[in-house]
Structure formats: structure tokens, C-alpha cells
Amino acid sequence: MRYRKIIVFLERILKYLKEKKMKKSIVLLLVLIMVFSVSIFAFAEKTVVEFWTTDNEKARVDVQEAIAADFMKLHPDIEVKVIPVNEPDLPTKIATAKAAGRLPDVCRFGLEYVAGFAIDGLLDTKAATMAIADMGYASFYKGALDLVRSPVEGIWAAVPIDGWVQGIWYRKDLFAEKGLAAPTSWDTILEAAKAFYDPASAMYGIVIGTDPGQVFTQQVFEPFALSNGATGFDKDGNIVMNTPEMVETLDYYTKLAAYGPPGACYWREARQYYIIGQAAMMFYSPYIMDDIAGLVEAYQVTVPDLAKNTGFCPIITGPRGIKASYGQLVTLGIFKDTDTEAAIEFVKYVLGPGYVDILFMSPG
């Protein structure tokens, strides 16, 4: 804890005084003052753990704050501050915090940030590795651990916490009425998007990511690219975005977007258009399930039996027969130059006693 530094400093002063052979009465008095001072610091000062989370919807923040409160009951010398962060804003906020010397102690973020943060020297890889070791390597899937290895040091850069798979959610009842096959391939997805597109009646075929400032757009585009053999890299690891496969994918994605709502769209629009019956298909993670079921008071479902009439297709088959999907691994990162010991304890608590609450924070 922070006050340990004060103890070390005072011990050095005491050693100096003894070496100078000061009177015992004076030394004793100073010792008593030191003990009293340390007691005050120990009583008054708490270690503060700033926990940034990209699970920033109110209901999920409430769960995370409850977990933090339970943790603080067991660790009265530690105060946990839960700070919600919009996922697209995370890189900017981290850069700003780094410049100000105020990085969070712990942060919840997706796998796509792990390597970059590790290369930039922001993550305390030793702390993450220690947390994983304390919880036991067997507590984690090997594949998840392999994904969070630091490209710099080879040890774990962050702690895996959960994950999800994205796909197309679609109106089974409407598809049945038109005799359409489930949207599992480029052809069936485009065919359905055309069939349902009727903007004059406020009906759209599909909602995909078209907002360039949102991670959602990359998440939706990626499985289309992979299902066409377009990875964005050549055999030597160079970035290439003009291959025939990538150009074909971009052309297809542009055509598909034309059958969606106007303007830049991301997951907010996808959810809204779908639950009010103005979209036949949308991309989303399983976190949409409670919204579709009408369990979230803030989002009013106007389609009768929407949950019953909704299907889910997590895999896309491309024109060459390649199957692809999009999955996300979520991690907890411990940052450098923070209260490492307290951060490790909090991470272990979240994945220990608090883990069931994390898993049930939202369906999916």
C-alpha cells in the first residue's frame, strides 16, 4: 500500500538519528511520533483501484459496482471506483490518461486492444501473469490464454474473462411467409435483404455496420472478408487491402448496405430497428437476447412474440464455400505504474466470487 513508502522513509530517518547517537529520550519521542503518524496514514489512506469498463450500460454498471462493493467489504483498505467508458473512445482515453500519468489500474476491453497496449508498454504483463498463475492455469482454456500472450515478452498481457460470438438475427416468421432460406450465405443474405427492403413502408432488409467510427462496423465486415479468403495480409505479413478477394468483399458489403436504413449505423440502430419491426435482419452479439425478449425496460419491443419468431445464424458461407464467423474475447488488463497488488486482488475476485454475477450480467 502507499503508506508503506512512508514507513520505509521514516525507518531511514530513525537509522540516521541512531547513527548520529542522539539522546535516547529524543529518539524514543521520535519513534512514538513515527508510530502515531504511520497509524494515522494506515487508518486514513486507502488504496484506490480505478476500474474502467467498456460494459457501460447502466444495468451492467450496476452489477459491476455491486461486485466492487462486495470486494471492498472483504478489503476495507481498498476502494474500487467503477468508471464506464464507451468502447470506441477507449484508445483516446487511454492515450490521454497516459499523457497525464493517470492510467487506470484495471480495464475491461476486447482482445483487439491487447497486443497494441502491450507493444506500447502500457500493460503490466507480470501482474497479469501472476493473477493467472494464482487462479491456476487450468482455470482458463488454453486457446484463450494463447490469444492474450504479449507479442513483446511472450508472457500473458491480460487476463481472459469472457467472450461472445456475433451473427445474424432474423425474423423467422417473415422469412417463412416469403419462403426464404435462413441467411447463412452471401447469396441468401443478399436475396433476403432485397426481398424485405421497402423504405416507403419504413421496412429495411438488414442493418449492418456503416459507421466508420464504430468498432461494430469492423466486427460485421470481418466475417464477410474471412468467408471470401480476404485477411488483409499477404504471406509475408504485409497489409494488403486491394486483393481481388478484398475488393469483391467491399463491393458486396456496399451492395448489402444499400438495403439498410439511411445514415451511419451501428449496434444501436440495429437493435432499435429490429425490436420495433422495421428490419428483417441485423448483426448483433448474444447480448441482444434480453432486449428481444422485452426484459429491458428502456427498450420497448413492439413486435408480438419477437423472441419466439427470431432465429440466429452465427456462421456465414462465402462464394468460395469458406465458412467464417466473428467471435470476441474480453479481457481484464492491469496497467503499469498502478497499485499492482490491489489490482491483482480485484481481478482475482472478479473471476472468483464475482464471476457468476459477471456471467449473468446480461444474457449472452
Side-chain angles (χ1 to χ4, degrees):
M1 306 305 175
R2 290 191 181 99
Y3 63 81
R4 288 177 182 169
K5 295 179 181 178
I6 299 170
I7 295 175
V8 172
F9 176 69
L10 293 175
E11 285 177 342
R12 288 176 179 172
I13 293 177
L14 181 58
K15 182 180 178 182
Y16 172 79
L17 293 174
K18 287 182 176 179
E19 288 175 351
K20 294 298 182 181
K21 297 181 180 180
M22 296 191 67
K23 291 182 179 181
K24 289 184 179 180
S25 58
I26 297 176
V27 173
L28 179 60
L29 177 61
L30 290 170
V31 169
L32 291 173
I33 293 173
M34 288 164 58
V35 171
F36 179 71
S37 300
V38 170
S39 298
I40 291 175
F41 279 112
F43 177 77
E45 186 173 354
K46 288 186 176 183
T47 297
V48 176
V49 172
E50 278 198 8
F51 172 45
W52 290 13
T53 174
T54 52
D55 256 327
N56 61 345
E57 293 192 351
K58 184 181 183 306
R60 301 179 193 177
V61 172
D62 290 344
V63 172
Q64 292 168 97
E65 287 182 338
I67 292 171
D70 290 340
F71 172 80
M72 288 187 285
K73 289 176 184 177
L74 297 176
H75 300 272
D77 58 333
I78 301 175
E79 179 184 359
V80 178
K81 294 182 178 180
V82 179
I83 302 175
V85 179
N86 288 326
E87 188 174 18
D89 299 336
L90 183 61
T92 301
K93 286 189 175 293
I94 289 293
T96 302
K98 178 186 177 184
R102 291 291 304 274
L103 285 166
D105 297 270
V106 181
C107 184
R108 177 186 173 97
F109 49 76
L111 177 65
E112 66 268 27
Y113 295 112
V114 174
F117 287 166
I119 290 172
D120 290 342
L122 301 178
L123 295 176
D124 191 333
T125 55
K126 291 181 180 178
T129 299
M130 186 181 300
I132 291 170
D134 287 350
M135 288 181 279
Y137 308 128
S139 302
F140 300 87
Y141 284 108
K142 181 180 181 299
L145 289 178
D146 289 343
L147 288 171
V148 297
R149 283 193 181 277
S150 167
V152 180
E153 299 156 291
I155 58 178
W156 293 298
V159 182
I161 181 169
D162 58 41
W164 46 265
V165 175
Q166 185 167 262
I168 296 179
W169 301 81
Y170 69 103
R171 290 284 300 277
K172 292 191 299 182
D173 54 336
L174 299 184
F175 270 67
E177 289 176 7
K178 289 186 178 291
L180 294 169
T184 58
S185 68
W186 281 31
D187 289 339
T188 55
I189 294 169
L190 188 59
E191 180 186 6
K194 290 180 181 179
F196 290 111
Y197 183 70
D198 185 8
S201 301
M203 185 65 182
Y204 301 97
I206 190 169
V207 185
I208 61 175
T210 57
D211 188 334
Q214 295 289 333
V215 177
F216 180 75
T217 301
Q218 170 255 317
Q219 294 171 346
V220 176
F221 178 78
E222 187 171 312
F224 284 110
L226 294 177
S227 68
N228 199 32
T231 64
F233 299 93
D234 63 17
K235 62 181 181 179
D236 298 319
N238 300 309
I239 298 175
V240 285
M241 299 297 289
N242 60 349
T243 63
E245 295 82 4
M246 184 62 77
V247 172
E248 184 181 16
T249 305
L250 288 166
D251 181 59
Y252 174 86
Y253 198 82
T254 302
K255 290 178 181 176
L256 193 60
Y259 297 106
C265 294
Y266 67 114
W267 58 264
R268 288 187 189 276
E269 286 76 24
R271 175 180 61 195
Q272 188 59 28
Y273 278 105
Y274 191 79
I275 65 175
I276 64 174
Q278 292 184 359
M281 297 179 286
M282 67 166 177
F283 273 83
Y284 218 102
S285 74
Y287 287 128
I288 194 66
M289 290 194 293
D290 53 347
D291 299 323
I292 290 175
L295 300 176
V296 182
E297 187 177 348
Y299 311 122
Q300 296 300 313
V301 177
T302 61
V303 180
D305 298 320
L306 182 59
K308 178 182 177 181
N309 290 314
T310 293
F312 178 57
C313 296
I315 298 175
I316 296 172
T317 302
R320 295 170 175 77
I322 302 172
K323 296 180 184 295
S325 185
Y326 181 87
Q328 174 68 292
L329 179 68
V330 183
T331 70
L332 293 179
I334 300 173
F335 284 79
K336 286 184 176 179
D337 302 322
T338 55
D339 292 294
T340 306
E341 184 179 328
I344 291 174
E345 288 303 312
F346 179 64
V347 167
K348 287 161 58 178
Y349 185 85
V350 171
L351 277 92
Y355 197 51
V356 172
D357 291 332
I358 288 291
L359 293 179
F360 283 90
M361 185 163 57
S362 179

